[in-house]
RNA sequence: GCGGUCGUAGCUCAAUUGGUUAGAGCGCCGGUUUGUGGUACCGGAGGUUGCGGGUUCGAUCCCCGUCGAUCGCCCCA
């Protein structure tokens, strides 16, 4: 690439490098996710980043944008079509089938990692993005829906994210959804000339989507479109009722969003989104629902399932308290004898569970500067005098107070100071 | 994929309606102090103004293209 020789190296479009506070916030989101997952009894699952292209084609529905134009697909050296995963659910369902995980059902699983979609990047929307993901496989009870939504709700609380609303809806069972969909198509077809260009296309591909069109003209039509409640089967109605009662009992606040639908074909019953108005056009922070037909479509046994995914980049933008890495102790050795002693002290403190740092270069001033900047609470100054006397100078960096501590008493003294 | 705005040092931004050698703060490196930080003072490095082309005596500034960022649409976490 001779034309690139002058050009600075840059990340691929829509992919980003994170360092410092941003990287720390990313980790913070994942840490809280793991902790809350543990409390809800979810177990980790690992699935590949790459799948056979047909895994996503079959499950996402041929007409969705993700499959039609957003997949990172390529041929490997054997000529097989592979795809970088654009979402988690399909891969997990595939694993459930190919690994015979039905023997463990019901399974409560969590995972997180990178996903890829070839889209126009925007704030909170990237070509490589990251999600946290939770799934319950093999449970058709509304209590599973309640539990997994409560999980997301508690996570948002633990992250201190306010101003997020849980929007809840149902798509009913297969009959309900089919009947409702037919009624919507009839309604919108009757007013075809008033529909926006986009919505005319949706009428073919995904009529439910017209319901949350942002076009003002469409919204007028949507206002008197038939609601799902008129088509709900008794079973589907009872299911939704049960989910709502469970959420209320769990203290999870929500609003009914009758226009909320899901893009993917395999959703049934519960659909939900945690939305915010702080991220521009990308309002959804966590979204999910029930997908009872998916595993069967993958060639597995009929398996009810419910899950959600949350965008880590979006969540980190809403975490307002920055989390900074903290070092307990910074060691400042001066001179060759001190270097050896410092290595011994570092090994000891690290084994004892303290986070430690040491100045590698510069005079005492430079090393103290770095020690202060590392965020350390205590500096250990170690020179020829201390080595000879078998002591360490312990300095509290916030007050500046310092004292001589015998080498053998160091750990006990530090434990007291850092408590 | 479509439309709007933007692109100057590592970062945040200046540069009078097109005019000498493109500046500042922060950060970085060094010094005042080769055993003491968060303050102060002094000095230094660092830019083909995203990239390519055009107009002009002359372009950071005007025009076109391209790449990237950003906002909205589509779709979605």
């Amino acid at each position: 690439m001779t034309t690139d020789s002058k050009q600075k190296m840059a990340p691929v479009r829509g992919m980003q490098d994170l360092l410092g506070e941003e990287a720390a916030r990313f980790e913070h989101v994942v840490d809280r996710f793991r902790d809350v997952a543990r409390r809800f009894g979810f177990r980790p699952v690992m699935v590949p980043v790459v799948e056979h292209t047909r895994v996503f084609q079959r499950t996402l529905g041929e007409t969705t944008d993700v499959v039609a134009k957003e997949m990172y697909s390529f041929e490997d050296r054997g000529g097989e079509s592979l795809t970088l995963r654009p979402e988690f659910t399909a891969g997990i369902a595939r694993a459930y089938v190919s690994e015979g995980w039905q023997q463990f059902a019901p399974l409560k699983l969590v995972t997180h990692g990178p996903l890829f979609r070839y889209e126009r990047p925007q704030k909170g929307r990237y070509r490589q993005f990251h999600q946290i993901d939770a799934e319950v496989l093999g449970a058709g009870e509304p209590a599973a829906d309640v539990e997994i939504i409560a999980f997301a709700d508690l996570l948002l609380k633990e992250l201190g994210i306010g101003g997020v609303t849980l929007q809840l809806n149902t798509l009913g069972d297969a009959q309900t959804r089919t009947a409702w969909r037919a009624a919507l198509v009839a309604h919108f077809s009757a007013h075809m000339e008033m529909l926006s260009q986009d919505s005319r296309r949706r009428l073919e591909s995904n009529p439910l989507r017209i319901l949350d069109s942002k076009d003002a003209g469409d919204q007028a039509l949507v206002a008197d479109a038939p609601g799902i409640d008129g088509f709900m089967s008794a079973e589907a109605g009872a299911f939704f009722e049960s989910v709502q009662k469970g959420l209320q009992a769990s203290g999870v606040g929500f609003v009914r969003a009758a226009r909320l639908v899901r893009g993917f074909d395999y959703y049934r019953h519960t659909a939900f989104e945690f939305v915010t108005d702080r991220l521009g056009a990308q309002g959804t922070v966590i979204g999910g629902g029930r997908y009872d037909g998916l595993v069967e479509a993958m060639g597995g046994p009929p398996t009810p399932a419910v899950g959600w995914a949350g965008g880590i980049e979006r969540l980190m933008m809403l975490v307002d308290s920055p989390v900074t890495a903290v070092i307990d102790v910074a060691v400042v050795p001066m001179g060759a004898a001190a270097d050896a002693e410092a290595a011994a002290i570092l090994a000891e403190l690290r084994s004892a569970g303290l986070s430690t740092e040491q100045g590698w270069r510069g005079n005492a001033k430079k090393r103290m500067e770095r020690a202060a900047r590392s965020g350390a609470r205590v500096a250990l100054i170690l020179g020829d005098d201390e080595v000879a006397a078998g002591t360490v100078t312990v300095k509290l960096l916030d007050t500046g107070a310092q004292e001589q501590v015998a080498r053998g008493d160091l750990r006990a003294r530090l434990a007291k100071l850092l408590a």
Side-chain angles (χ1 to χ4, degrees):
Chain A
M1 290 287 159
T2 54
T3 53
D4 289 350
S5 56
K6 284 189 204 166
Q7 215 170 336
K8 281 183 187 171
M9 276 296 193
V12 173
R13 181 168 159 85
M15 313 205 171
Q16 47 180 355
D17 306 305
L18 262 39
L19 180 68
E21 190 196 303
E22 285 192 302
R25 297 216 291 211
F26 187 107
E27 282 298 298
H28 177 64
V29 169
V30 174
D31 285 348
R32 300 321 305 149
F33 170 66
R34 284 200 175 112
D35 183 51
V36 177
R38 178 187 57 77
R39 282 184 263 163
F40 272 83
F42 280 66
R43 304 195 306 184
V45 63
M46 310 292 177
V47 292
V49 172
V50 181
E51 295 278 355
H52 296 294
T53 299
R54 61 180 176 277
V55 169
F56 303 113
Q57 281 174 337
R58 187 174 321 175
T59 58
L60 295 182
E62 307 284 346
T63 63
T64 60
D65 273 20
V66 172
V67 168
K69 58 179 193 187
E70 294 175 1
M71 294 204 303
Y72 271 92
S73 299
F74 60 95
E75 282 193 2
D76 70 5
R77 289 170 190 243
E80 243 186 313
S81 179
L82 304 180
T83 295
L84 266 35
R85 63 185 178 198
E87 57 126 33
F88 276 114
T89 309
I92 291 173
R94 190 234 82 223
Y96 185 88
V97 174
S98 40
E99 308 297 338
W101 286 346
Q102 66 182 98
Q103 64 181 310
F104 304 121
L107 261 182
K108 295 158 66 176
L109 301 175
V110 284
T111 193
H112 67 93
L115 307 169
F116 302 83
R117 287 181 201 171
Y118 193 87
E119 298 184 275
R120 183 84 171 253
Q122 274 180 48
K123 178 180 188 177
R125 154 187 251 179
Y126 307 96
R127 287 186 171 183
Q128 175 178 337
F129 60 107
H130 300 78
Q131 287 184 346
I132 50 177
D133 183 273
E135 314 279 351
V136 177
L137 292 133
E141 293 79 5
D145 304 49
V146 171
E147 183 164 305
I148 205 164
I149 292 172
F151 173 3
D153 184 70
L154 182 59
L155 173 62
L156 290 170
K157 284 176 181 151
E158 295 266 319
L159 286 169
I161 295 175
V164 174
T165 306
L166 169 57
Q167 301 193 338
L168 183 73
N169 197 21
T170 179
L171 303 174
D173 49 26
Q175 303 144 3
T176 304
R177 182 171 170 152
T178 303
W180 183 40
R181 178 185 158 121
L184 285 173
V185 170
H187 172 75
F188 290 121
S189 299
H191 304 85
M192 182 79 90
E193 67 292 339
M194 294 170 64
L195 277 180
S196 68
Q197 205 60 41
D198 279 328
S199 287
R200 286 182 205 183
R201 182 180 50 74
R202 290 186 183 109
L203 201 51
E204 301 281 322
S205 61
N206 197 348
L208 299 196
R209 272 282 164 201
I210 298 175
L211 293 176
D212 55 9
S213 168
K214 283 162 190 162
D215 181 271
D218 288 351
Q219 297 206 350
L221 275 181
V222 166
D224 48 33
I228 189 174
D229 293 350
F231 303 89
M232 196 88 75
S233 70
E235 294 79 6
F239 189 97
F240 190 45
E241 192 61 33
S242 181
V243 170
Q244 294 179 80
K245 281 190 174 140
L247 288 175
Q248 279 155 5
S250 306
V252 176
F254 63 90
V255 298
R256 173 74 193 276
R259 304 179 327 177
L260 172 65
V261 293
R262 308 259 67 204
F264 298 145
D265 289 350
Y266 49 75
Y267 281 100
R268 294 284 182 275
H269 290 294
T270 314
F272 60 91
E273 289 183 3
F274 288 84
V275 299
T276 176
D277 56 7
R278 288 162 61 195
L279 291 179
Q282 282 67 241
T284 302
V285 202
I286 290 177
R290 181 162 277 283
Y291 53 95
D292 288 349
L294 177 62
V295 173
E296 195 171 1
M298 194 74 76
T303 307
V306 58
W308 55 252
I312 295 179
E313 286 84 356
R314 292 182 185 180
L315 289 165
M316 36 182 289
M317 286 190 278
L318 297 173
V319 178
D320 27 37
S321 57
V323 200
T324 45
V326 174
I327 289 287
D328 296 318
V329 176
V331 179
V332 180
M334 299 299 302
D339 281 344
E341 188 62 24
I345 290 175
L346 284 165
E348 180 183 334
L349 297 184
R350 285 167 176 162
S351 295
L354 294 179
S355 60
T356 62
E357 196 82 273
Q358 102 170 280
W360 282 325
R361 67 168 71 123
N363 56 29
K365 178 190 165 79
K366 289 299 167 198
R367 294 188 193 206
M368 284 302 294
E369 263 176 27
R370 287 204 180 82
R373 226 180 315 147
S374 73
R377 296 163 63 194
V378 171
L380 300 185
I381 299 159
L382 201 57
D384 292 340
D385 297 348
E386 284 86 351
V387 173
T391 63
V392 177
T393 298
V394 176
K395 176 163 186 167
L396 288 173
L397 286 167
D398 49 350
T399 65
Q402 60 184 59
E403 63 191 34
Q404 300 294 315
V405 175
R407 179 71 180 75
D409 301 336
L410 182 60
R411 231 163 79 190
R413 186 65 187 138
L414 285 176
K416 198 166 241 175
L417 289 171
L418 294 169

